[in-house]
């Protein structure tokens, strides 16, 4: 399927698009008048020559501006073939060009609009021979690319039995990260997959063979489309001139989401005429993990001298009381294009801040308010609960199910649906119900040398015994897998000791499962380990294992199938903030706004902390009429202890009078009892033996001061860590 649209040549217009008078030459109504645009939008639409940067605040009508600009350019006599509209989804391009066509009362078959990748594909079919490709090159999808990597691994005899070599999926992800972020593959491995550093030479070798294989077989993967488009423009002046002459007017949507390659493509296309308008919002740059580079939009005026900067600040989505809070959130950003959103939408309710006692109280607060809003006539589909990470909604999901509130979750798997958490839960389910054949089968297949047929044979034998764990211990296994069966049986028998709490049972399971876990998910088990930590935090709140099993067994909406998901559109939306960008709801709840949760504890570097601020800004600007900030005052810390949860530092920046507080003690906005380090801390304040607290690693003790602003800290649950005081949020206890 082609991911670009060609829109047709427009018929001559009888009058200006911006006329406020009816035409007397025919019965047509005026296409639109100047009142359809506010002054800033009008300026952006009508400034046709030279570089233009449109800073489009949330809800400020950026799509409308792009649509009208396309129409205006055509009305000014620009031929459709000279306009290029670059977007991030095919749907966005289709919508814009359809709306432009409707405005002009004509089709626009010749305006080229689509995604960067789709336009690259089109141009490479014409010019790819310059790079050694024929016009009929094939594009690899993810599965194809992984298959080639697997073939190369086998041919090079890499990743054989017993080796913890990275999977084909992870290798492709490494390659893609390197390309999209313009970072050497060596640095990607060392910075993000350090536990696989021993295989760096082999990964580089696979990369070289992968490149050669694609060229020899006339193949391009998704990233190659951008890389090769940039190569064409950079290496071949004749091609660059031809493309630049065709696309005299370049429009780019969501410019803050571009990666370095895409920004360079835009620069090269427009280098001869500089007629480029990019639209975006630096305050909504939140996709660095996908390769998006915040610097692209900030440095645009440097790349294109004499850039005209136009700010769209009138918001057509939210009430002014909501915008006052969102403005306050982003005001503290270290680097930004200053703008102040304003609205004429009526509404006097201030956003609410609720300090819940714990996660359960947080869930109850959200459910109570959802039910209240629903009784007032607000549909479930007009409400959303947003969170930093997918697992933050687990308690809430259970509470919603208990109250039979329909919901749809977006942005990541449910915590209990990922493979590794399903593995751990299988042991607990077998303990609660030894007749659970599905869980038994999952457990047995984790044993080395045991396949589906053997697992079924074992299961048929032990399920006939009243004591299946003992029967497993005595099962006549072959020598090659006998030890594995015995270890599993010993662990299961240990779970039957009287007096063990649910969390103690979990700890015994994880102690057994850890080597299995690292063997099966060897390529990314450090990341997956955080999910197991979250499961432990949750089960620690249960007095009964059966109660925990029953709660996690609730039927999630996604499991009912796509046909049922479409039956009732009126569903509450649960979503990560990343998945919510571009959407809006009447009422929005943002949960887990506690330090170490939002912003995420892993955000140490200044640029990471800045992106967390922008992430909260995006979340808050989704609300139209009602906005709730919620955080639990009691949280389970990384060291497995219940501790005082502190309000997110991002909320501490909001002036008190902009929020309506409920159950939020005044100390929530004052200096915490534990002294918080500022960015500039004198090294003399720390010494060996000092007890400190870290939002992710928990409580620890300084072992050694290593030098200027660097300390060696031992954490009970996480071991020794070397931390830099400018980035680590350490606090003296």
């Amino acid at each position: 399927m082609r991911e670009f649209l060609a829109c047709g040549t427009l018929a001559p217009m009888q009058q200006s698009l911006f006329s406020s008078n009816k035409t007397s030459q025919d019965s047509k109504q005026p296409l639109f008048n100047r009142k359809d645009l506010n002054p800033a939008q009008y300026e952006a639409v009508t400034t046709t020559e030279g570089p233009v940067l449109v800073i489009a605040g949330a809800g400020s009508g950026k799509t409308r501006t792009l649509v009208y600009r396309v129409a205006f350019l055509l009305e000014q006599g620009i031929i459709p073939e000279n306009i290029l509209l670059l977007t991030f989804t095919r749907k966005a391009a289709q919508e814009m060009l359809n709306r432009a066509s409707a405005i002009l009362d004509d089709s626009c078959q010749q305006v080229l609009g689509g995604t960067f990748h789709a336009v690259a594909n089109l141009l490479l079919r014409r010019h790819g021979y310059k790079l050694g490709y024929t016009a009929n090159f094939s594009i690899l999808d993810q599965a194809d690319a992984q298959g080639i990597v697997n073939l190369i691994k086998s041919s090079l005899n890499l990743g054989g039995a017993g080796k913890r070599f990275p999977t084909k999926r992870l290798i492709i992800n490494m390659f893609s990260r390197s390309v999209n972020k313009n970072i050497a593959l060596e640095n990607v491995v060392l910075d993000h997959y350090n536990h696989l550093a021993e295989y760096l030479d082999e990964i580089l070798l696979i990369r070289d063979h992968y490149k050669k294989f694609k060229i020899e077989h006339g193949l391009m993967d998704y990233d190659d489309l951008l890389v090769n488009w940039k190569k064409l423009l950079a290496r071949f002046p004749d091609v660059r001139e031809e493309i630049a002459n065709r696309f005299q007017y370049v429009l780019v949507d969501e410019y803050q989401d571009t990666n370095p390659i895409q920004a360079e493509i835009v620069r090269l296309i427009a280098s001869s005429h500089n007629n480029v308008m990019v639209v975006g919002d630096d305050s909504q740059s939140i996709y660095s993990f996908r390769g998006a580079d915040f610097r692209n939009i900030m440095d645009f005026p440097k790349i294109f001298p004499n850039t005209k900067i136009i700010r769209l600040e009138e918001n057509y989505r939210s009430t002014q009381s909501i915008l006052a809070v969102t403005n306050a959130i982003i005001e503290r950003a270290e680097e930004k294009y200053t703008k102040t959103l304003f609205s004429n939408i009526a509404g006097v309710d201030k956003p609410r801040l609720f300090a819940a006692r714990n996660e359960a109280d947080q869930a109850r607060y959200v459910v109570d308010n959802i039910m209240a809003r629903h009784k007032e006539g607000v549909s479930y589909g007009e409400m959303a609960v947003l969170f930093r990470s997918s697992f933050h909604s687990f308690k809430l999901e259970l509470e919603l199910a208990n109250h039979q509130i329909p919901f749809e979750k977006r942005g990541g798997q449910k915590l209990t649906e990922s493979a590794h958490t399903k593995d751990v839960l299988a042991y607990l389910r077998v303990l609660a119900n030894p007749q659970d054949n599905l869980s038994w089968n999952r457990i047995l297949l984790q044993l080395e040398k045991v396949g589906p047929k053997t697992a079924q044979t074992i299961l048929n034998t032990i399920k006939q015994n009243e004591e299946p764990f003992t029967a497993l211990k005595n099962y006549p296994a072959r020598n090659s897998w006998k030890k594995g069966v015995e270890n599993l049986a010993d662990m299961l028998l240990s779970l039957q000791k009287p007096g063990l709490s649910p969390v103690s049972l979990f700890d015994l399971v994880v102690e057994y499962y850890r080597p299995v876990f690292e063997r099966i998910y060897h390529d990314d088990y450090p990341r997956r380990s955080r999910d197991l930590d979250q499961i432990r935090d949750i089960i620690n709140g249960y007095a009964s294992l059966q109660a925990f099993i029953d709660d996690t067994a609730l039927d999630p909406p996604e499991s009912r199938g796509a046909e049922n998901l479409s039956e009732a559109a009126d569903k509450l939306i649960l979503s990560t903030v990343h998945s919510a960008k571009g959407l809006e709801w009447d009422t929005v709840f943002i949960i887990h706004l506690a330090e170490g949760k939002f912003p995420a504890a892993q955000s140490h570097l200044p640029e990471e902390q800045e992106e967390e601020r922008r992430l909260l800004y995006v979340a808050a600007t989704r609300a139209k009429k009602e906005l709730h900030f919620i955080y639990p005052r009691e949280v389970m810390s990384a060291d497995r202890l219940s501790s005082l949860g502190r309000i997110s530092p991002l909320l501490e920046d909001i002036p008190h009078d902009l929020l309506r507080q409920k159950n939020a003690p005044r100390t929530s906005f004052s200096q915490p009892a534990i002294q918080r380090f500022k960015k500039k801390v004198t090294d003399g304040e720390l010494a060996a033996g000092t007890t400190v607290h870290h939002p992710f690693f928990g409580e620890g003790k300084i072992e050694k001061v290593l030098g200027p602003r660097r300390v060696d800290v031992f954490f009970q649950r996480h071991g020794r860590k070397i931390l830099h005081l400018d980035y680590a949020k350490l606090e003296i206890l």
Side-chain angles (χ1 to χ4, degrees), residues 473-499:
K473 175 74 171 177
N474 298 326
Y475 186 84
R478 293 184 180 179
N479 289 335
S480 59
W481 43 276
K482 183 178 180 64
K483 185 65 175 175
V485 170
E486 289 177 346
N487 289 341
L488 172 60
D490 288 340
M491 186 276 294
L492 292 173
L493 287 168
S494 72
L495 299 181
Q496 295 183 311
K497 294 177 182 177

XYZ file of all heavy atoms in Angstrom, residues 473-499:
214
model
N 8.382 -34.813 42.148
C 9.693 -35.102 42.740
C 10.129 -36.528 42.408
O 11.320 -36.802 42.186
C 9.608 -34.907 44.256
C 10.866 -35.281 45.020
C 11.973 -34.265 44.843
C 13.137 -34.550 45.778
N 14.258 -33.606 45.570
N 9.162 -37.452 42.361
C 9.470 -38.873 42.130
C 9.324 -39.287 40.669
O 9.390 -40.485 40.361
C 8.547 -39.736 43.002
C 8.762 -39.470 44.481
O 9.881 -39.200 44.922
N 7.683 -39.543 45.266
N 9.106 -38.324 39.786
C 8.886 -38.673 38.376
C 10.168 -39.266 37.766
O 11.265 -38.741 37.967
C 8.469 -37.434 37.578
C 8.088 -37.748 36.155
C 6.806 -38.172 35.838
C 9.029 -37.658 35.125
C 6.455 -38.480 34.525
C 8.687 -37.967 33.816
C 7.396 -38.379 33.532
O 7.064 -38.692 32.244
N 10.039 -40.399 37.015
C 11.220 -41.055 36.417
C 11.755 -40.291 35.206
O 11.585 -40.704 34.059
C 10.677 -42.425 36.021
C 9.223 -42.193 35.745
C 8.791 -41.156 36.730
N 12.388 -39.171 35.463
C 12.893 -38.326 34.375
C 14.184 -38.880 33.803
O 14.933 -39.611 34.465
C 13.125 -36.914 34.898
N 14.473 -38.510 32.564
C 15.739 -38.876 31.943
C 16.864 -38.074 32.592
O 16.653 -36.987 33.111
C 15.703 -38.591 30.442
C 14.739 -39.483 29.670
C 14.845 -39.202 28.182
N 13.939 -40.043 27.425
C 13.808 -40.007 26.101
N 14.542 -39.135 25.405
N 12.971 -40.803 25.488
N 18.052 -38.625 32.517
C 19.192 -37.977 33.173
C 19.436 -36.559 32.653
O 19.884 -35.686 33.395
C 20.463 -38.823 32.989
C 20.410 -40.103 33.801
O 19.704 -40.181 34.807
N 21.144 -41.123 33.355
N 19.128 -36.329 31.368
C 19.421 -35.025 30.762
C 18.560 -33.905 31.338
O 18.931 -32.738 31.276
C 19.241 -35.090 29.238
O 17.917 -35.466 28.915
N 17.408 -34.240 31.896
C 16.561 -33.190 32.470
C 16.027 -33.541 33.855
O 15.148 -32.883 34.387
C 15.391 -32.831 31.541
C 14.681 -33.995 30.895
C 15.041 -34.648 29.769
C 13.466 -34.626 31.351
N 14.152 -35.647 29.464
C 13.163 -35.652 30.415
C 12.615 -34.431 32.430
C 12.050 -36.467 30.535
C 11.495 -35.240 32.554
C 11.216 -36.248 31.623
N 16.601 -34.570 34.460
C 16.169 -35.012 35.789
C 16.431 -33.941 36.859
O 15.575 -33.672 37.711
C 16.900 -36.308 36.168
C 16.471 -36.905 37.521
C 17.211 -38.203 37.776
C 16.796 -38.812 39.107
N 15.370 -39.208 39.112
N 17.607 -33.306 36.807
C 17.961 -32.316 37.807
C 16.992 -31.134 37.772
O 16.597 -30.602 38.814
C 19.397 -31.825 37.569
C 19.910 -30.868 38.646
C 20.025 -31.543 40.001
C 20.644 -30.630 41.036
N 20.654 -31.232 42.392
N 16.600 -30.727 36.572
C 15.672 -29.611 36.437
C 14.319 -29.918 37.058
O 13.719 -29.073 37.728
N 13.834 -31.144 36.864
C 12.554 -31.558 37.443
C 12.642 -31.579 38.962
O 11.733 -31.122 39.667
C 12.139 -32.943 36.901
C 10.945 -33.481 37.685
C 11.799 -32.849 35.420
N 13.746 -32.092 39.478
C 13.912 -32.162 40.939
C 13.969 -30.765 41.559
O 13.371 -30.529 42.626
C 15.182 -32.944 41.276
C 15.069 -34.435 40.983
C 16.366 -35.183 41.258
O 17.409 -34.504 41.415
O 16.338 -36.425 41.300
N 14.677 -29.845 40.927
C 14.761 -28.478 41.454
C 13.394 -27.800 41.463
O 13.038 -27.091 42.410
C 15.745 -27.645 40.625
C 17.183 -28.063 40.844
O 17.507 -28.720 41.836
N 18.057 -27.698 39.917
N 12.620 -28.020 40.401
C 11.279 -27.457 40.335
C 10.404 -28.032 41.445
O 9.690 -27.295 42.145
C 10.653 -27.730 38.964
C 9.172 -27.372 38.806
C 8.939 -25.893 39.064
C 8.669 -27.773 37.416
N 10.469 -29.346 41.622
C 9.656 -29.995 42.652
C 10.034 -29.505 44.048
O 9.160 -29.259 44.890
C 9.809 -31.511 42.553
N 11.338 -29.362 44.308
C 11.781 -28.884 45.624
C 11.246 -27.482 45.903
O 10.836 -27.164 47.027
C 13.311 -28.873 45.689
C 13.897 -30.280 45.769
O 13.157 -31.208 46.159
O 15.095 -30.440 45.442
N 11.270 -26.632 44.886
C 10.769 -25.278 45.077
C 9.269 -25.294 45.368
O 8.786 -24.619 46.292
C 11.062 -24.418 43.840
C 10.705 -22.932 43.999
S 8.963 -22.535 43.683
C 8.868 -22.912 41.927
N 8.513 -26.074 44.602
C 7.068 -26.137 44.809
C 6.725 -26.708 46.186
O 5.794 -26.239 46.853
C 6.416 -26.974 43.706
C 6.455 -26.363 42.291
C 5.946 -27.359 41.268
C 5.636 -25.082 42.239
N 7.474 -27.696 46.620
C 7.243 -28.269 47.952
C 7.544 -27.245 49.047
O 6.870 -27.198 50.078
C 8.104 -29.521 48.142
C 7.652 -30.761 47.354
C 8.723 -31.846 47.374
C 6.334 -31.309 47.926
N 8.553 -26.392 48.813
C 8.893 -25.378 49.818
C 7.782 -24.348 49.978
O 7.653 -23.712 51.027
C 10.205 -24.678 49.446
O 10.026 -23.810 48.329
N 6.969 -24.178 48.931
C 5.872 -23.216 48.994
C 4.749 -23.690 49.924
O 3.892 -22.890 50.310
C 5.296 -22.970 47.592
C 6.241 -22.376 46.533
C 5.495 -22.184 45.221
C 6.837 -21.060 46.997
N 4.756 -24.962 50.265
C 3.677 -25.516 51.094
C 3.945 -25.396 52.590
O 3.130 -25.830 53.403
C 3.445 -26.990 50.729
C 2.925 -27.183 49.307
C 2.631 -28.637 48.990
O 3.452 -29.526 49.236
N 1.450 -28.894 48.450
N 5.080 -24.792 52.926
C 5.367 -24.603 54.350
C 4.314 -23.688 54.965
O 3.943 -22.675 54.379
C 6.758 -23.988 54.535
C 7.897 -24.890 54.096
C 9.242 -24.183 54.245
C 10.388 -25.073 53.759
N 11.699 -24.371 53.840
N 3.806 -24.036 56.157
C 2.748 -23.227 56.776
C 3.260 -21.850 57.210
O 4.433 -21.676 57.533
C 2.323 -24.072 57.986
C 3.523 -24.913 58.300
C 4.178 -25.206 56.982
N 2.356 -20.880 57.190
C 2.656 -19.558 57.725
C 3.322 -18.598 56.767
O 3.646 -17.468 57.152
